[in-house]
Amino acid sequence: EAQVTQNPRYLITVTGKKLTVTCSQNMNHEYMSWYRQDPGLGLRQIYYSMNVEVTDKGDVPEGYKVSRKEKRNFPLILESPSPNQTSLYFCASSSGQTYNEQFFGPGTRLTVL
Amino acid sequence: SQKIEQNSEALNIQEGKTATLTCNYTNYSPAYLQWYRQDPGRGPVFLLLIRENEKEKRKERLKVTFDTTLKQSLFHITASQPADSATYLCALDGDGNNRLAFGKGNQVVVIP
């Protein structure tokens, strides 16, 4: 089954404790992206990757890192999480061709205390 | 500044009627526009794409129009059903680089 998976689905952590949210897709997609979704603010892009070893900042990259060492994986790293990073996070992928739809993962609900 | 606007108020509609949602944008020149459905706590799911040279697109009970002069897209659900209750997001080609910019979404509640 074609899908985007994220782990963990739920995470409660404390300020300053480094964490990684994994994202993996099995569709051989070139384009991958991370979004955060907050009430009243909608979906905002954090980082995106057009291909392996190619990443770029989205609209709200501060406090986040990403890497794209393999085509299928695109982990999101929070080196020193803060409470304002409490949010619902989505990973998405697409073929990278113009007009193509994005496939979203199930989401990771992160709470930083 | 660039904006994508969707109605923040939920649309309550009787089962069987047509629900119509609006997406207006400012300071974008999108090559295409997409609509997604999102259920609470879940990831958005792609529904329809319409290109700038297309006026209308249909898929089953869904219809989307795109007016680049008005800078507006309309999303219609005909013969609505309670299962259509969800939040619907419009998204457009923000910079021609496959980067999508999303509206905040418009909730639809279909009343049996």
Side-chain angles (χ1 to χ4, degrees), chain A residues 41-53:
Chain A
L41 296 178
L43 272 169
R44 294 179 292 167
Q45 191 179 52
I46 303 170
Y47 268 95
Y48 65 100
S49 169
M50 306 276 285
N51 212 327
V52 175
E53 302 291 2

Side-chain angles (χ1 to χ4, degrees), chain B residues 2-6 23-26 28 90-92 101-104:
Chain B
Q2 293 177 314
K3 281 188 210 174
I4 303 170
E5 292 176 305
Q6 295 186 255
C23 175
N24 294 304
Y25 59 91
T26 308
Y28 285 102
C90 74
L92 50 83
F102 282 84
K104 293 177 185 175

Side-chain angles (χ1 to χ4, degrees), chain A residues 37 40 45 90 94 99 102, chain B residues 36 38 43 49 98-99 104:
Chain A
Q37 188 173 38
Q45 191 179 52
F90 290 104
S94 77
Y99 306 131
Q102 293 205 12
Chain B
Y36 288 77
Q38 186 174 24
L49 175 147
N98 205 32
R99 284 191 60 199
K104 293 177 185 175

